[in-house]
Amino acid sequence: MLNELSDNTEHKILEAAKTVFIKEGMKGARMQEIATEAGINKSLLHYYFRTKEKLFAAVFQFAFKAFIPKIDEILGPGLSLHERFSRFANAYTEILIDNPFIPLFVLHEINRHPEIIYKLVQQVGTKPKLLEEIITDEIKKGVIKPVDPKQVIINMISLCVFPIIARPIILPLIFEDDQKKYRKFLEDRKTEIADFIFNSIKVQ
Amino acid sequence: MLNELSDNTEHKILEAAKTVFIKEGMKGARMQEIATEAGINKSLLHYYFRTKEKLFAAVFQFAFKAFIPKIDEILGPGLSLHERFSRFANAYTEILIDNPFIPLFVLHEINRHPEIIYKLVQQVGTKPKLLEEIITDEIKKGVIKPVDPKQVIINMISLCVFPIIARPIILPLIFEDDQKKYRKFLEDRKTEIADFIFNSIKVQ
DNA sequence: ATTACCTTTGACCATATGGTTAAATTAAAT
DNA sequence: ATTTAATTTAACCATATGGTCAAAGGTAAT
């Protein structure tokens, strides 16, 4: 039972740390707040994770993985480009709706310490080149115009991520604080984004 | 000369505060660091701006204004929709290239305190409705397909902002840390974004 | 029951940090 | 020159915060 208990506490701590760090950022987060959120005291927190840095590193790694989509999984084999765009936008938008604070958290921290990305990129093992090749092939096949694949990829991710991280501005400024409208808007995007991109680059 | 000197010091403080706050965020910024950056001591900083909050408020207001484009100015009268998209993407991208850390700063802080937006929105006086009307009109004229104007507007802003704030991820992951390629990529977008959007929604 | 080990707690420490204050300095006005 | 007001500085203060430590509690093995 020893291990079960410890796992339990460690798990509680990690969940609490996610909540607090992702909301407040590294500098904004307080160890006491994390302890309280986890229902334990500060000493125990330091017993499990010696320092704030170590705890942060654990949370950041989790967040980074959640933010960088595992493209290869989403882009299953034997699909048309439009279908692939559609699946990507759909899956990624859903991830982001469920974890709306992760992108900003990751971007904010990575801006403060751009170096940390190098360790993470390997661990995550995402392959943007894969998507790039798919797009290049479709150009050769004459399905889409000769566009820069990098532009298309960044467009796709931009269109998925930004509406989520800009919610506190978009909601009052565009949707007059009507959460339902905003929610519907995001829901629509699951299909709109793929159509939008495909329409733009397809050969008519 | 009294006023000139004080203006000068106040100006130095504000510039220093912009640098530090925008880079480190409200919680990450240190009053001492701002003072040092401004070439003065901490007491003088508190003499000009009683509290960290007051200084932050000044910086945040500036940053918010820089982040929210004054749409009406960019969208001069008597232009085609494509021309308007083009001008917007061009002008906004340039602003963002010159102030690459502002969007993330604003979004991060506004996420921590979503309320603050209400005071700012009035002061800035941006009118997204204006662009919405323009798009609606073009739909009626049959220039573009019957799309949701809100989707188009958010797409435009997403495509401009995200590639800037995601630079620390994009640069290593997509451009193998080649800054020139990234820079060229942004430069291309000044025209690419408008073409991209217009192609997608125009009636062929 | 005793040993040994893991977990949890409360009291405590050192330092960083936002902020204050009184005195010194400077500049303008009389 | 003297007064007056604004500006600048150095020394301090109170508090928050990350982190430590020794003791207590609990659990399983002998």
Side-chain angles (χ1 to χ4, degrees):
Chain A
M1 305 299 100
L2 241 154
N3 231 334
E4 226 170 79
L5 259 178
S6 90
D7 278 359
N8 207 345
T9 303
E10 193 173 328
H11 186 252
K12 279 193 313 190
I13 290 176
L14 276 172
E15 286 306 307
K18 278 182 203 171
T19 306
V20 176
F21 271 126
I22 289 172
K23 189 172 148 211
E24 309 285 346
M26 165 67 175
K27 284 282 184 175
R30 297 288 92 117
M31 291 300 268
Q32 181 57 62
E33 196 184 343
I34 295 172
T36 304
E37 175 85 21
I40 59 172
N41 72 11
K42 202 156 56 88
S43 304
L44 193 53
L45 194 56
H46 283 282
Y47 174 74
Y48 277 87
F49 295 84
R50 199 173 300 280
T51 66
K52 190 182 184 183
E53 275 70 29
K54 290 218 195 325
L55 185 53
F56 173 79
V59 172
F60 188 80
Q61 182 165 339
F62 159 84
F64 189 78
K65 283 180 182 166
F67 178 48
I68 301 286
K70 343 88 200 157
I71 295 175
D72 19 345
E73 287 177 29
I74 296 174
L75 305 172
L79 296 168
S80 72
L81 190 62
H82 185 277
E83 184 68 22
R84 278 179 161 137
F85 284 163
S86 207
R87 293 188 104 199
F88 181 90
N90 203 71
Y92 197 32
T93 298
E94 240 156 51
I95 293 173
L96 294 172
I97 287 176
D98 288 343
N99 305 279
F101 301 116
I102 282 188
L104 209 49
F105 167 69
V106 171
L107 289 170
H108 181 247
E109 300 301 338
I110 226 167
N111 248 287
R112 290 172 43 90
H113 303 287
E115 335 80 49
I116 56 179
I117 201 177
Y118 298 109
K119 303 170 206 160
L120 291 166
V121 162
Q122 306 161 326
Q123 292 172 11
V124 174
T126 195
K127 294 137 190 156
K129 293 288 172 221
L130 192 71
L131 189 48
E132 229 174 297
E133 280 166 28
I134 291 175
I135 294 172
T136 307
D137 284 353
E138 298 292 305
I139 294 173
K140 283 183 194 149
K141 281 195 258 169
V143 177
I144 57 174
K145 301 175 196 167
V147 291
D148 177 358
K150 291 186 205 298
Q151 296 276 0
V152 178
I153 293 169
I154 305 278
N155 287 351
M156 171 65 92
I157 298 175
S158 302
L159 294 172
C160 291
V161 175
F162 189 80
I164 303 277
I165 66 182
R167 182 196 135 122
I169 294 181
I170 292 175
L171 195 53
L173 219 61
I174 311 277
F175 293 104
E176 288 128 357
D177 279 312
D178 186 331
Q179 307 207 7
K180 278 183 191 167
K181 279 185 193 163
Y182 172 71
R183 179 64 208 222
K184 167 102 170 32
F185 164 83
L186 286 187
E187 211 56 46
D188 289 347
R189 285 182 82 76
K190 288 185 186 172
T191 58
E192 287 272 336
I193 290 174
D195 293 347
F196 184 75
I197 293 184
F198 195 73
N199 280 339
S200 180
I201 63 177
K202 75 173 179 221
V203 171
Q204 29 257 322
Chain B
M1 301 301 104
L2 241 153
N3 231 335
E4 226 170 79
L5 260 178
S6 88
D7 278 358
N8 205 346
T9 303
E10 192 174 329
H11 185 253
K12 278 193 311 186
I13 290 175
L14 275 173
E15 286 305 309
K18 276 183 206 171
T19 305
V20 177
F21 271 126
I22 289 172
K23 190 173 147 211
E24 308 285 347
M26 165 66 175
K27 284 281 186 175
R30 297 289 93 115
M31 292 300 269
Q32 181 56 61
E33 196 184 345
I34 295 172
T36 304
E37 174 86 21
I40 59 173
N41 73 12
K42 202 156 57 89
S43 303
L44 193 52
L45 194 57
H46 283 283
Y47 174 74
Y48 276 88
F49 293 86
R50 199 174 301 281
T51 67
K52 189 182 183 183
E53 276 70 28
K54 289 218 195 327
L55 185 54
F56 173 78
V59 172
F60 189 80
Q61 183 165 337
F62 158 84
F64 189 78
K65 282 179 182 166
F67 179 48
I68 301 286
K70 343 90 204 157
I71 296 175
D72 18 344
E73 288 177 29
I74 296 174
L75 306 172
L79 296 168
S80 72
L81 188 62
H82 185 277
E83 184 68 21
R84 277 178 161 140
F85 284 163
S86 208
R87 293 188 105 202
F88 181 91
N90 205 71
Y92 196 34
T93 297
E94 241 157 50
I95 293 173
L96 294 172
I97 287 175
D98 289 343
N99 304 279
F101 301 117
I102 282 187
L104 210 48
F105 168 68
V106 170
L107 288 170
H108 181 246
E109 300 301 338
I110 227 169
N111 248 287
R112 292 171 43 89
H113 303 288
E115 334 82 49
I116 58 180
I117 201 177
Y118 297 108
K119 304 169 203 159
L120 291 166
V121 163
Q122 305 160 326
Q123 292 172 10
V124 174
T126 195
K127 294 138 190 154
K129 294 287 173 227
L130 192 69
L131 189 48
E132 228 174 299
E133 280 166 28
I134 291 174
I135 294 171
T136 307
D137 284 353
E138 299 292 305
I139 293 173
K140 281 183 196 147
K141 281 195 259 167
V143 176
I144 57 173
K145 300 175 196 167
V147 291
D148 177 0
K150 292 186 204 296
Q151 296 277 0
V152 178
I153 293 169
I154 305 279
N155 287 351
M156 171 65 92
I157 298 175
S158 302
L159 294 171
C160 291
V161 175
F162 187 80
I164 303 277
I165 66 181
R167 182 195 134 121
I169 294 181
I170 291 174
L171 195 53
L173 219 62
I174 311 279
F175 294 103
E176 287 129 358
D177 279 313
D178 186 330
Q179 306 207 8
K180 278 182 189 166
K181 281 186 193 163
Y182 172 70
R183 180 63 208 221
K184 168 102 171 32
F185 164 82
L186 286 187
E187 212 55 46
D188 289 347
R189 287 183 80 78
K190 287 185 185 172
T191 57
E192 287 271 336
I193 290 174
D195 292 347
F196 184 75
I197 293 184
F198 194 73
N199 279 340
S200 180
I201 62 177
K202 75 173 179 220
V203 170
Q204 26 259 325

